[in-house]
Amino acid sequence: GVWAHGVWAHGVWAHGVWAHGVWAHGVWAHERGTVTGSHEEALGAPAVLWRPSEDVLANAGITRYLRWLDQTRGIHIEGYGELWEWSVEHLEDFWGSLWDFFDIQASVPYDQVVTDESMPGAQWFPGARLNFAEHALRHSGDSGDSAHPAVVFTSENGDVTELSWAELRQRVAAFAKSLTSMGVQSGDRVVGYLPNIPEAVVAFLASASIGAVWSACGPDFGIRSVVDRFRQLEPTVLVAADGYRYGGREHDRREVLRELVTELPSVRHVVFVDYLGLGPTPAMGGVDVVGFSEMAAGDGEPAFVQVPADHPLWVLFSSGTTGLPKGIVHSHAGVLLEHMKVVVLAANLSAEDRFFWFTSTSWVMWNLVVAGLLVGATIELYDGSPVYPDVGRLWRLVEERGITSFGTSAGFILTCAKAGLRPGEIYDLSTLRSIGSTGSPLPPSGFRWVYDAVKADVWLYSISGGTDIAGALVGGAVTLPVWEGEIQARALGASVESWSDEGRARIGELGELVVTKPMPSMPLYFWNDPDGSRYREAYFSTFPGVWRHGDWITITDRGTAIVHGRSDSTLNRMGVRMGTVDIYEAVESLPEVREALVVGVEQPDGGYWMPLFVALEPGVTLDEALEQRIKDVIRTGASPRHVPDEILVVPGVPHTLTGKKVEVPVKRVLQGTAPDVAVSMGAIDAPELMDYFVELARARS
């Protein structure tokens, strides 16, 4: 499909692929270091869009780690592919080496790295006592450098707040002391109903510093969705803001907050953040209310409670589009090791970086942004719409803040491309050296747009993993080239394979994404799942003892990966299973189509109905000509099997609050499932958009 995807039309030759010495660098042989592919085989590979310079290679975190392994362990490894193989074949050696390489501070050392390699059941670093927050704040000695603050926050209205390392440490210490005075003890739950503001970072680190368990939701979540999450935890303290900014409006959430307190009888104290300045601290029906500024005032040093390695750090929640959201519990040691690995060896961050990812406190990417503190980087926060007052807002933020590492979603990249935006011609992006993309698979067109319209010498890395492991399973490696439309590599320490239904690993073929060996950041357990049955059902019911992640993936013979979407929303035409991503890539390339959603619906009579729903641009109608164009672009851009049975116009496509299309709930509604059973309306961005699918299901019944 090279021609069909318009590679030549997009000027691959003009971008100087040959001039960059593709042949001289042995790309066709590439990662294994020996020539294994023929010229003809190589012509079927996608284009190489970026290659690390000698300077990048010399200073990469991966290079430093390889040098350290050689010098301290006598382990000599050549290249990323060999390093990945070693990391999954020798789990104890790999994760133990990271503990030392990252200089993990533990008041009591661990007895062994891992008890065994069973899943679930492996215990990591038993005996060790440590604290995640201590590591996030250990760079506060750099506080005298005003050019490298700890936290920089920009609100949609342009207001900017900076916290130096000393200020962050002081506020965390004071907030933690206030929590203790409220009676909060190790293991108690502290929850936040907060936008992406510095107060959220302070509250989280303060909670972690005393061994309390943190959880958060963004204030854009509806009351029922928040209650469904927080009530499970029985929190004693709620940290909440008066509202948030989005799309040019200030959203007052004080009444929602009052209702939330009523719905959470375990809450004894409310810490109120007067973010929008809407007035004095409100009354909360007898519950003690204190202002955030009062909680965070005072001198002193944080007292980092030393907790066991497997002590709960936070509870992250599944999207909750169907059923009660699952509370996923991660540990201090597991998250610390995984996030140090991600920021240093995958995202290639250092203390000189300004690290940004567009996110909300509800999404695991917020937790990963906070992880930038672990290496002394400045973390950049933003509260507001990514496309207000125009689609260039976040690129302008790169210019304004001197951001070096910029993270976003595939959806945002495609929105910018669709709008015809060319940020590299409008904004000064000279500081920008990397762009990360996650949330959904980034199609080849997204890769091409970045290198054509943003910056030709930027490192673009796509990652996939998520809430379940609080990290990445496949992602970036700055020492490798960027192949169009492909994720660069399997993550170090992640024994990722593509499996057939029979449990056979395969290369170059679509299969279930599985992890065959444990990782420290796999969940300790699900909250309120005492016998572990929900946990085992979620990940280990398909292949006992092997983690099934729920994505379709292809591992190429180059070691790269292509994620094709969720396997539980897989299309199955005439016995051939297909991901939905290829259809979206083709259809959404049309200027008339704003967004698309496709599902495959098994019928009671054994038939199969595959409708394509399209949200069209204003003024566009689905006439016969456009319908034919949609079918043609799917046929040539994906395959004839991908052509839908029917094309229907919808007012819009619903998403989860983290931006993922709600394919499975739509499918279930169309199969006759009651709407309130198929989807939790409070967990999607525009619940009213589900009305169309409910009516369609009724009309077809």
Side-chain angles (χ1 to χ4, degrees):
V2 173
W3 292 100
H5 280 84
V7 170
W8 306 120
H10 279 79
V12 170
W13 295 101
H15 279 83
V17 171
W18 302 112
H20 280 82
V22 172
W23 292 103
H25 281 82
V27 167
W28 309 129
H30 191 244
E31 307 309 348
R32 310 281 183 217
T34 57
V35 177
T36 57
S38 69
H39 174 86
E40 289 75 21
E41 290 170 334
L43 290 177
V48 174
L49 301 178
W50 178 88
R51 180 178 303 284
S53 66
E54 293 301 321
D55 182 62
V56 166
L57 287 171
N59 295 289
I62 291 174
T63 303
R64 287 189 288 108
Y65 174 58
L66 287 174
R67 190 181 306 125
W68 180 89
L69 274 180
D70 195 6
Q71 295 172 349
T72 66
R73 298 289 201 270
I75 299 172
H76 184 70
I77 292 174
E78 292 285 350
Y80 189 93
E82 188 178 329
L83 178 60
W84 177 80
E85 290 178 0
W86 175 77
S87 76
V88 297
E89 290 172 2
H90 303 275
L91 289 188
E92 286 206 48
D93 293 341
F94 172 66
W95 291 104
S97 74
L98 291 191
W99 186 283
D100 295 338
F101 178 66
F102 294 133
D103 190 26
I104 301 303
Q105 300 296 301
S107 59
V108 180
Y110 58 79
D111 299 324
Q112 60 186 116
V113 173
V114 63
T115 54
D116 57 55
E117 295 187 5
S118 62
M119 290 191 292
Q123 293 179 297
W124 291 90
F125 306 105
R129 299 188 74 90
L130 73 171
N131 191 287
F132 177 92
E134 182 176 3
H135 293 80
L137 293 172
R138 64 176 171 175
H139 299 276
S140 53
D142 307 331
S143 57
D145 187 354
S146 60
H148 295 91
V151 181
V152 179
F153 166 65
T154 305
S155 189
E156 189 182 78
N157 67 358
D159 290 348
V160 177
T161 302
E162 292 195 8
L163 291 182
S164 69
W165 286 94
E167 289 170 329
L168 176 61
R169 190 178 179 93
Q170 173 271 314
R171 294 187 189 188
V172 169
F175 198 93
K177 185 177 180 180
S178 297
L179 287 175
T180 301
S181 69
M182 289 175 169
V184 178
Q185 299 178 358
S186 180
D188 288 346
R189 275 75 65 202
V190 177
V191 296
Y193 189 52
L194 296 164
N196 186 18
I197 56 179
E199 288 85 350
V201 177
V202 170
F204 159 56
L205 291 176
S207 301
S209 74
I210 62 172
V213 183
W214 173 257
S215 192
C217 282
D220 54 333
F221 267 50
I223 181 68
R224 184 46 46 198
S225 293
V226 183
V227 171
D228 284 348
R229 287 158 171 77
F230 288 170
R231 185 180 281 171
Q232 297 182 56
L233 305 181
E234 299 179 291
T236 57
V237 177
L238 169 65
V239 187
D242 55 354
Y244 64 100
R245 294 189 173 99
Y246 197 90
R249 291 179 52 208
E250 292 189 346
H251 299 262
D252 185 348
R253 304 299 276 174
R254 289 175 296 174
E255 286 304 316
V256 175
L257 176 55
R258 288 189 182 93
E259 186 179 351
L260 182 57
V261 171
T262 302
E263 294 273 5
L264 298 174
S266 62
V267 170
R268 300 195 301 268
H269 306 277
V270 173
V271 181
F272 184 73
V273 181
D274 191 23
Y275 169 48
L276 299 181
L278 297 179
T281 303
M284 290 291 167
V287 174
D288 175 52
V289 181
V290 60
F292 187 94
S293 56
E294 181 182 340
M295 287 280 290
D299 298 322
E301 284 291 304
F304 301 109
V305 173
Q306 299 296 290
V307 297
D310 63 354
H311 187 79
L313 174 63
W314 58 47
V315 181
L316 304 179
F317 283 95
S318 61
S319 60
T321 50
T322 57
L324 201 63
K326 297 185 291 288
I328 302 170
V329 185
H330 294 115
S331 69
H332 274 248
V335 169
L336 179 58
L337 263 293
E338 174 66 20
H339 282 195
M340 288 291 291
K341 182 195 74 173
V342 169
V343 296
V344 175
L345 302 182
N348 199 41
L349 296 183
S350 71
E352 303 302 309
D353 279 298
R354 287 183 173 253
F355 180 40
F356 169 85
W357 210 291
F358 181 77
T359 184
S360 76
T361 55
S362 310
W363 193 17
V364 67
M365 295 312 299
W366 181 85
N367 306 70
L368 195 60
V369 168
V370 176
L373 299 173
L374 294 171
V375 291
T378 298
I379 61 172
E380 297 274 350
L381 312 179
Y382 181 76
D383 173 51
S385 167
V387 293
Y388 180 85
D390 55 68
V391 75
R393 179 63 187 105
L394 296 186
W395 303 109
R396 195 156 54 248
L397 188 68
V398 173
E399 177 182 80
E400 294 166 353
R401 304 301 322 148
I403 289 168
T404 61
S405 183
F406 174 86
T408 185
S409 66
F412 175 75
I413 289 175
L414 297 176
T415 295
C416 291
K418 191 91 169 188
L421 185 69
R422 301 186 64 82
E425 298 173 4
I426 304 171
Y427 309 108
D428 179 1
L429 306 180
S430 56
T431 61
L432 184 63
R433 62 177 184 80
S434 68
I435 296 174
S437 172
T438 192
S440 59
L442 182 65
S445 63
F447 280 75
R448 292 194 295 269
W449 178 80
V450 166
Y451 285 100
D452 179 53
V454 181
K455 196 173 185 182
D457 63 349
V458 76
W459 169 44
L460 171 64
Y461 64 98
S462 179
I463 65 175
S464 185
T467 304
D468 313 79
I469 60 158
L473 292 175
V474 290
V478 76
T479 57
L480 299 177
V482 174
W483 298 80
E484 180 185 290
E486 297 181 357
I487 297 174
Q488 286 179 288
R490 288 175 275 192
L492 297 176
S495 184
V496 171
E497 294 181 353
S498 171
W499 273 22
S500 67
D501 286 347
E502 297 74 33
R504 289 195 296 271
R506 46 195 186 182
I507 297 295
E509 295 183 56
L510 180 145
E512 287 276 2
L513 192 166
V514 301
V515 186
T516 62
K517 295 183 180 181
M519 298 171 64
S521 65
M522 285 178 173
L524 291 171
Y525 48 83
F526 287 169
W527 198 265
N528 289 339
D529 180 29
D531 64 357
S533 57
R534 294 180 71 206
Y535 182 33
R536 289 191 299 274
E537 174 65 26
Y539 306 115
F540 303 105
S541 58
T542 304
F543 305 110
V546 173
W547 175 289
R548 172 186 171 272
H549 196 62
D551 283 338
W552 286 123
I553 192 170
T554 299
I555 305 296
T556 74
D557 57 5
R558 297 181 298 282
T560 59
I562 304 166
V563 174
H564 303 272
R566 298 295 293 173
S567 57
D568 53 10
S569 60
T570 302
L571 307 174
N572 189 331
R573 298 296 291 278
M574 294 165 281
V576 177
R577 293 179 302 182
M578 308 175 297
T580 56
V581 174
D582 291 335
I583 292 178
Y584 298 147
E585 156 77 351
V587 175
E588 293 173 0
S589 69
L590 295 173
E592 298 92 341
V593 180
R594 186 167 76 251
E595 198 171 11
L597 178 77
V598 64
V599 294
V601 184
E602 293 83 3
Q603 303 291 280
D605 62 0
Y608 191 78
W609 179 51
M610 194 177 101
L612 172 69
F613 302 100
V614 291
L616 302 176
E617 295 291 354
V620 176
T621 58
L622 184 64
D623 56 20
E624 199 172 308
L626 178 56
E627 185 166 339
Q628 190 58 50
R629 287 186 64 208
I630 291 173
K631 291 179 179 178
D632 288 345
V633 77
I634 293 172
R635 185 176 288 108
T636 57
S639 81
R641 290 184 186 272
H642 288 78
V643 175
D645 297 317
E646 196 170 353
I647 302 175
L648 301 168
V649 177
V650 292
V653 172
H655 308 79
T656 68
L657 292 177
T658 56
K660 297 180 181 179
K661 298 177 183 183
V662 292
E663 295 168 330
V664 174
V666 166
K667 173 177 177 174
R668 290 178 178 168
V669 165
L670 294 176
Q671 287 176 316
T673 304
D676 57 342
V677 175
V679 62
S680 172
M681 294 299 180
I684 60 178
D685 58 356
E688 68 279 2
L689 293 177
M690 290 299 297
D691 294 343
Y692 170 88
F693 302 101
V694 173
E695 290 303 317
L696 178 61
R698 286 177 183 154
R700 287 179 53 85
S701 62

